[in-house]
């Protein structure tokens, strides 16, 4: 009897010790949520590799976040001068493309309903929102597998969030397609919690309209216009390629293609007919004379290579000196994104 009692005590102690050594998914989730969401702000640097196109593309990502709703995200393509910035401040959500001198303003709640793998607060919400999330514990990290919560979720439905055990901060996020193949990889190089930036640091800088009768400004404006026109012409010459969507939408084929001469190059209009009809329009993007923000309909969607404006029936973006527009009353938002992601350049004609 005494021997049985001793054995029961040993088993009970082992169970207690084992429980202490193996934190539950809920325990880890709570710690993460407290650490990531209670901070007043953060800065981070990450590298993002996107494998959805014909060749992988690598981007450097810098993020500032100050509570409650101030964000600044700068995405720069590695080895390229192309970059775009997303800013959320008290006036709204802005997308800035420095190479084109353009600023678009959205009336959007981004990123509340459009989780991004490089925003650690939305990653915490992803883990919390997915009741079926699975946690795997390894020697130096926790790995959460969850559903994604963004406009790509039907194309890229799952993600794996790697958490460093020592720091309880994300070290890597991989996003996968329906077949489980990795399509996006984000590696965090630096995360600094508790960093706050002043409201003024989230202000979007923009040129103001010139006062009437200011001759010096008028001369400068004229010079700027000529320079912009020259740059536009040079850019157009470099981009006399035609981009075609290589997305395989079953039952849909290219039925018509027209090219129209415009001031700064060519406008190409493609019509796709069949079960999922849609139209693609592409032309050289124009450079404005100032950076006064232009209001645009839709929500900002990060395509990786560009930030697009997505509505119920269209998607619009600018990349590589070109402006693209896809419209359809038959495609879903996910299919519009699929077409946008698949646009591939052909050889110059």
């Amino acid at each position: 009897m005494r021997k049985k009692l001793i054995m029961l005590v040993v088993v009970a102690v082992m169970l207690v010790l084992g429980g202490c050594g193996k934190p539950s998914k809920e325990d880890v989730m709570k710690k993460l949520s407290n650490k990531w969401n209670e901070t007043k702000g953060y800065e981070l640097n990450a590298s993002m590799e996107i494998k959805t196109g014909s060749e992988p593309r690598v981007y450097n990502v810098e993020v500032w976040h100050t509570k409650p709703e101030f964000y600044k995200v700068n995405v720069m393509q590695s080895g390229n001068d192309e970059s775009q910035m997303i800013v959320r401040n008290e006036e709204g959500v802005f997308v800035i493309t420095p190479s084109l001198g353009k600023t678009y303003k959205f009336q959007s709640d981004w990123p509340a309903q459009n989780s991004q793998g490089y925003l650690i607060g939305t990653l915490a919400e992803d883990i919390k929102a997915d009741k079926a999330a699975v946690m795997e514990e390894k020697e130096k990290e926790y790995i959460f597998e969850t559903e994604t919560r963004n406009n790509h979720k039907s194309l890229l439905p799952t993600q794996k969030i790697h958490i460093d055990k020592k720091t309880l901060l994300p070290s890597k996020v991989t996003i996968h397609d329906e077949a489980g193949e990795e399509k996006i990889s984000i590696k965090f190089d630096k995360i600094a919690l508790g960093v706050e930036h002043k409201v003024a640091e989230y202000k979007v800088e923009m040129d103001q309209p010139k006062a009437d009768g200011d001759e010096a400004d008028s001369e400068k404006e004229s010079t700027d216009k000529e320079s912009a026109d020259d740059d536009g012409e040079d850019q157009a010459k470099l981009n006399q390629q035609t981009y075609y969507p290589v997305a395989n939408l079953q039952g849909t084929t290219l039925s018509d293609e027209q090219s129209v001469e415009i001031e700064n190059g060519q406008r190409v209009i493609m019509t796709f007919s069949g079960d999922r009809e849609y139209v693609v329009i592409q032309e050289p993007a124009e450079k404005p004379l100032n950076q006064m923000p232009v209001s645009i309909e839709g929500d900002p969607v990060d395509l990786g290579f560009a930030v697009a404006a997505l509505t119920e029936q269209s998607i619009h973006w600018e990349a590589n000196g070109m402006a693209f527009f896809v419209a359809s009353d038959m495609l879903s938002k996910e299919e519009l994104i699929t077409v946008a992601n698949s646009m591939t350049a052909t050889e110059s004609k």
Side-chain angles (χ1 to χ4, degrees):
M1 182 72 179
R2 182 186 175 110
K3 187 181 287 186
K4 288 183 178 179
L5 181 60
I6 291 173
M7 288 296 294
L8 287 172
V9 171
V10 171
V11 170
V13 171
M14 289 177 67
L15 288 172
V16 170
L17 291 176
C20 291
K22 294 283 186 180
S24 68
K25 179 181 76 172
E26 288 70 25
D27 290 336
V28 177
M29 286 172 60
K30 185 176 181 180
K31 289 180 182 178
L32 297 180
S33 182
N34 289 343
K35 188 176 183 72
W36 298 359
N37 287 328
E38 289 185 3
T39 182
K40 294 181 179 179
Y42 66 78
E43 286 183 0
L44 68 80
N45 295 89
S47 59
M48 177 170 63
E49 183 178 13
I50 298 179
K51 307 171 185 177
T52 55
S54 56
E55 294 183 0
R57 298 182 300 273
V58 178
Y59 300 85
N60 298 316
V61 182
E62 297 177 354
V63 179
W64 291 1
H65 171 51
T66 301
K67 278 197 169 184
E69 296 180 346
F70 288 79
Y71 289 90
K72 182 179 284 188
V73 179
N74 195 19
V75 180
M76 300 153 286
Q77 186 170 2
S78 181
N80 193 316
D81 292 336
E82 289 289 322
S83 68
Q84 280 194 312
M85 184 181 291
I86 309 175
V87 176
R88 181 186 176 105
N89 58 28
E90 56 194 356
E91 297 177 356
V93 178
F94 299 83
V95 172
I96 303 126
T97 307
S99 63
L100 294 174
K102 286 190 176 180
T103 300
Y104 290 108
K105 182 179 181 181
F106 294 79
Q107 292 300 325
S108 170
D109 62 354
W110 180 91
Q113 302 301 321
N114 193 0
S115 176
Q116 300 290 341
Y118 45 69
L119 300 180
I120 62 175
T122 61
L123 287 177
E125 292 301 316
D126 290 345
I127 296 173
K128 184 178 178 181
D130 186 359
K131 303 303 180 184
V134 175
M135 185 189 81
E136 178 185 2
E137 182 177 358
K138 293 195 172 183
E139 182 182 354
K140 295 183 178 181
E141 65 179 358
Y142 302 109
I143 303 174
F144 281 89
E145 184 170 353
T146 78
E147 294 180 342
T148 55
R149 294 184 309 121
N150 54 41
N151 289 309
H152 299 73
K153 61 187 176 184
S154 66
L155 306 171
L156 304 172
T158 60
Q159 63 185 345
K160 290 183 179 180
I161 306 169
H162 296 247
I163 312 297
D164 184 276
K165 276 187 175 182
K166 186 176 181 180
T167 63
L168 287 181
L169 291 173
S171 59
K172 182 172 70 171
V173 176
T174 57
I175 303 173
H176 304 256
D177 63 15
E178 292 179 326
E181 186 176 349
E182 181 183 305
K183 292 297 183 182
I184 299 175
S185 175
I186 300 167
K187 295 181 180 179
F188 295 94
D189 303 315
K190 170 191 170 184
I191 300 176
L193 299 182
V195 180
E196 295 180 79
H197 286 272
K198 297 178 181 179
V199 171
E201 294 182 80
Y202 290 91
K203 182 178 176 60
V204 175
E205 297 296 333
M206 58 193 71
D207 297 336
Q208 297 297 324
K210 304 293 186 295
D212 291 339
D214 193 328
E215 293 182 4
D217 284 345
S218 295
E219 288 180 10
K220 184 178 185 300
E221 182 175 303
S222 177
T223 302
D224 289 344
K225 184 178 189 307
E226 290 175 5
S227 176
D229 289 343
D230 290 342
D231 288 345
E233 289 175 5
D234 291 341
Q235 191 68 54
K237 290 175 183 176
L238 292 173
N239 288 287
Q240 287 303 312
Q241 296 176 308
T242 302
Y243 290 72
Y244 292 89
V246 296
N248 183 20
L249 298 184
Q250 191 172 2
T252 302
T253 57
L254 176 62
S255 60
D256 186 56
E257 178 178 344
Q258 297 182 22
S259 180
V260 180
E261 291 290 335
I262 58 175
E263 186 176 353
N264 62 337
Q266 288 187 329
R267 175 181 296 140
V268 179
I269 304 169
M270 300 178 187
T271 302
F272 291 80
S273 303
D275 296 340
R276 295 177 176 87
E277 296 182 349
Y278 62 94
V279 173
V280 176
I281 302 174
Q282 57 192 289
E283 62 187 56
E286 293 185 349
K287 281 191 173 184
L289 293 178
N290 57 54
Q291 289 189 341
M292 293 299 293
V294 177
S295 294
I296 190 168
E297 184 181 359
D299 287 317
V301 175
D302 191 347
L303 300 175
F305 56 87
V307 178
L310 179 68
T311 71
E312 292 292 336
Q313 297 184 337
S314 70
I315 186 167
H316 167 261
W317 73 99
E318 293 176 345
N320 301 318
M322 299 290 290
F324 299 89
F325 182 78
V326 181
S328 173
D329 59 3
M330 298 178 71
L331 298 186
S332 65
K333 285 185 174 181
E334 290 82 3
E335 287 169 330
L336 287 168
I337 293 172
T338 298
V339 172
N341 270 315
S342 75
M343 294 295 290
T344 303
T346 65
E347 293 297 324
S348 301
K349 294 183 177 180

